[in-house]
Amino acid sequence: MEERKPKILLAEDDTNLGMVLKNYLELNDYDVELCRDGILALAAFRREKFDICLLDIMMPNMDGFKLAEEIRDVDPDIPLFFLSAKTMKEDIIQGYKLGADDYIAKPFDSELLLLKIKAILKRNQELNSKEEEQHEFQIGSYAFNSRLRTLAHNGDSHTLSPKENELLHMLCEHKNDLLPRELALKKIWGSDTYFNGRSMDVYIAKLRKYLKDDPNIEIVNIHGNGFRLVVKEL
């Protein structure tokens, strides 16, 4: 039986770039659906199952940022790359805040993009196939289940995003000890680049907010080294 090719949603309104990229990726054994505006891309995403999304930002009818929000509402787990000529720091930060796995500035090297796609798909495959030795943790007055991606407190339960879940799981594995910044970045984001580091800082801030109702819990930033999940035992 023929193995299924990974399927890519490519949202790109530049006709030439879109076709060149589609053909290049298909030559490298990917199944690519090219859409030339955000509305068409969202319709395709709702209609079919994709393994990764490559999104231009400046598109007609619906821009890439709005498209990313809509995609995340449907499937918070899908890997997502922005491909954009917008290189302002604010745009890049917004992309990562929307949960992007990478933000690639145009013009870019197609071979480098291919390597990034392979790396993120391999990482996701490893995460999905991984059998965790421990998936239930007590964090002060919180109950965390990394298999269900739930964080419960006083009868209320919150579902974490995949990256929030993996980061909190790693912090729990290193509870009251140092979680090296480089280790978390490479395991969850795939590389320890500056922008991935900024993305992780956003997720750390989210976890602090989720855990704020227990004063005995603190996520401490060890400058230049990483983070410690400190839980005071009563």
Side-chain angles (χ1 to χ4, degrees), residues 28-202:
N28 284 277
D29 292 325
Y30 291 93
D31 185 5
V32 182
E33 171 119 4
L34 173 61
C35 300
R36 293 194 170 86
D37 71 52
I39 290 178
L40 291 175
L42 181 59
F45 186 80
R46 287 174 169 163
R47 184 176 63 246
E48 301 180 49
K49 172 68 175 176
F50 292 92
D51 296 289
I52 188 169
C53 300
L54 309 180
L55 311 181
D56 183 25
I57 292 178
M58 295 182 288
M59 294 187 293
N61 299 323
M62 179 189 292
D63 68 29
F65 287 147
K66 178 61 177 175
L67 174 58
E69 290 179 357
E70 297 288 343
I71 285 174
R72 282 283 182 249
D73 285 342
V74 176
D75 184 353
D77 296 347
I78 187 80
L80 188 156
F81 288 4
F82 283 115
L83 311 176
S84 180
K86 299 184 74 168
T87 56
M88 294 288 290
K89 178 180 177 182
E90 292 78 11
D91 294 314
I92 296 172
I93 290 174
Q94 183 179 356
Y96 280 113
K97 283 184 176 179
L98 288 170
D101 292 272
D102 211 333
Y103 190 110
I104 302 172
K106 296 178 181 177
F108 54 83
D109 185 296
S110 297
E111 185 176 357
L112 180 59
L113 174 63
L114 182 64
L115 291 172
K116 286 175 176 283
I117 291 172
K118 287 180 178 179
I120 202 75
L121 291 179
K122 181 182 178 184
R123 183 208 73 187
N124 270 29
Q125 184 179 29
E126 289 173 349
L127 289 176
N128 291 335
S129 62
K130 173 185 170 187
E131 291 188 9
E132 299 170 1
E133 293 181 2
Q134 181 180 0
H135 62 273
E136 293 183 351
F137 299 88
Q138 193 66 37
I139 312 171
S141 56
Y142 288 82
F144 170 47
N145 188 314
S146 62
R147 184 169 292 166
L148 300 177
R149 299 208 326 255
T150 56
L151 184 64
H153 185 255
N154 290 341
D156 293 327
S157 182
H158 175 75
T159 300
L160 301 174
S161 73
K163 280 195 176 69
E164 291 168 352
N165 184 69
E166 187 70 10
L167 185 54
L168 184 55
H169 185 265
M170 291 190 73
L171 285 165
C172 287
E173 289 180 326
H174 293 76
K175 188 173 77 169
N176 293 323
D177 200 354
L178 175 70
L179 170 61
R181 188 178 184 88
E182 182 180 3
L183 176 64
L185 283 170
K186 288 185 175 179
K187 186 171 182 181
I188 302 173
W189 275 264
S191 66
D192 59 346
T193 65
Y194 168 78
F195 289 113
N196 284 346
R198 291 299 302 272
S199 176
M200 184 168 72
D201 291 340
V202 170

